[in-house]
């Protein structure tokens, strides 16, 4: 069969329906050592935000790992249906835990993970570790006086270079395959 046959498209991109948008506030913890210069403590994101557009310079120029946490309620699971956590957009990579158990990692679109066996009726917790590249931290350091710079690099970028989109951008959706899994 051809690469764009309906059977192959259905197998690779099954039709889904939205069960729930996970839009509750996210508690976000950034690594905050001397090099990464992330904010200390937990920052609450009422909505998912691109780090490179954030008002806080410690987040805007941050490069490294951040952990997002939230909870949501699930009314019921439909037998025979696969449930996926669709992260929307992620920049750059993410690892996901649901109810304390590792669900998997994603680094390309679609940023989607099968969470069928990890979800339960009632309250569920999600933890998403996101990492970005070093570009934003380097750009941020190049804007500082030389004596305050921590990151040393050869000339791979300029201080006026646009920042790279970073973080969990969402929307984070719980979706269900419409057809039964065989």
């Amino acid at each position: 069969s051809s690469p764009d046959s309906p059977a192959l498209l259905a197998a690779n991109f099954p039709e889904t329906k939205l069960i729930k948008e996970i839009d509750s506030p996210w508690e976000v913890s950034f690594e905050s050592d001397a090099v990464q210069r992330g904010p200390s403590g937990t920052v609450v994101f009422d909505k998912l935000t691109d780090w490179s557009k954030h008002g806080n310079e410690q987040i805007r120029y941050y490069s490294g790992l951040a952990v997002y946490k939230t909870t949501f309620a699930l009314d019921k699971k439909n037998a025979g249906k696969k449930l996926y956590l669709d992260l929307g957009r992620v920049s750059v990579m993410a690892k996901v835990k649901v109810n304390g158990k590792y669900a998997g990692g994603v680094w390309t679109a679609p940023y989607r993970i099968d969470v069928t066996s990890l979800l339960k009726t009632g309250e569920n917790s999600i933890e998403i570790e996101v990492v970005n590249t070093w570009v934003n931290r380097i750009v941020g350091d190049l804007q500082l006086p030389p004596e305050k710079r921590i990151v040393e690099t050869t000339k791979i970028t300029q201080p006026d270079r646009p920042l790279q989109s970073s973080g969990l951008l969402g929307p984070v959706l719980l979706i269900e395959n419409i057809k039964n899994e065989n």
Side-chain angles (χ1 to χ4, degrees):
S1 66
S2 73
D4 58 352
S5 74
L8 279 176
L9 287 174
N12 287 318
F13 301 99
E15 194 175 349
T16 61
K17 78 173 187 176
L18 175 65
I19 300 300
K20 178 182 266 313
E21 180 171 358
I22 315 293
D23 59 359
S24 51
W26 294 84
E27 293 181 357
V28 185
S29 301
F30 294 85
E31 287 185 3
S32 58
D33 66 18
V35 175
Q36 290 159 314
R37 299 184 185 180
S40 59
T42 300
V43 178
V44 175
F45 283 23
D46 290 323
K47 62 180 190 140
L48 295 174
T49 304
D50 184 337
W51 302 347
S52 71
K53 293 178 169 65
H54 201 279
N56 181 335
E57 284 190 5
Q58 290 179 299
I59 296 173
R60 187 168 53 250
Y61 297 118
Y62 180 77
S63 291
L65 179 131
V67 180
Y68 291 73
K69 294 180 181 180
T70 196
T71 60
F72 71 95
L74 180 64
D75 295 335
K76 63 179 180 148
K77 287 172 58 174
N78 292 330
K81 304 282 185 176
K82 282 207 171 187
L83 293 169
Y84 295 89
L85 194 62
D86 187 318
L87 304 182
R89 279 192 341 144
V90 174
S91 192
V92 174
M93 296 184 290
K95 289 182 178 179
V96 177
K97 287 183 182 176
V98 175
N99 295 321
K101 295 183 180 164
Y102 182 66
V106 291
W107 59 94
T108 60
Y111 297 97
R112 186 177 294 166
I113 296 176
D114 183 346
V115 293
T116 309
S117 65
L118 302 176
L119 291 173
K120 60 187 179 186
T121 300
E123 193 77 1
N124 289 272
S125 65
I126 301 174
E127 180 178 305
I128 303 171
E129 293 182 0
V130 176
V131 294
N132 66 341
T133 69
W134 271 97
V135 171
N136 294 352
R137 178 70 267 146
I138 294 169
V139 170
D141 261 27
L142 287 173
Q143 294 176 14
L144 298 172
E147 67 276 5
K148 293 194 175 190
R149 295 178 187 166
I150 295 175
V151 178
E152 293 184 34
T153 181
T154 57
K155 279 278 201 199
I156 63 166
T157 193
Q158 298 296 320
D160 59 350
R161 175 184 173 163
L163 297 177
Q164 287 185 342
S165 180
S166 295
L168 176 60
L169 307 172
V172 177
L173 308 173
L174 183 62
I175 58 176
E176 176 183 88
N177 273 5
I178 289 178
K179 296 189 179 197
N180 286 335
E181 299 295 320
N182 295 331

